Amino acid sequence: MSLDRVILAFAGVMVLLSVALTAFVHPYFVWLTVFVGVNLLQSAFTGFCPAAIIFRKLGIRPGSAF
């Protein structure tokens, strides 16, 4: 998998996890969903994604976006 697909998969998992935590643990976990959404928006406009840096250091091959 390329880095782009890993980032998309990671973001999807984080959104689903945060929704489950909000529903079953505590309503304040909705802020994790907000954080993931804001991070996706800022990476779309700036091209900077902290998760991409981490995954790149773990050896995931680069994609076209990151």
Side-chain angles (χ1 to χ4, degrees):
M1 276 173 60
S2 69
L3 184 59
D4 301 337
R5 290 187 183 257
V6 170
I7 293 298
L8 291 173
F10 179 70
V13 167
M14 290 303 296
V15 167
L16 292 174
L17 176 68
S18 65
V19 168
L21 288 171
T22 300
F24 298 116
V25 178
H26 197 279
Y28 283 167
F29 275 106
V30 74
W31 289 107
L32 179 58
T33 311
V34 171
F35 173 75
V36 172
V38 168
N39 195 11
L40 285 169
L41 279 174
Q42 73 85 23
S43 69
F45 288 107
T46 65
F48 174 74
C49 179
I53 295 169
I54 294 169
F55 284 125
R56 193 176 306 126
K57 287 183 180 181
L58 290 175
I60 305 295
R61 67 179 172 88
S64 58
F66 297 108

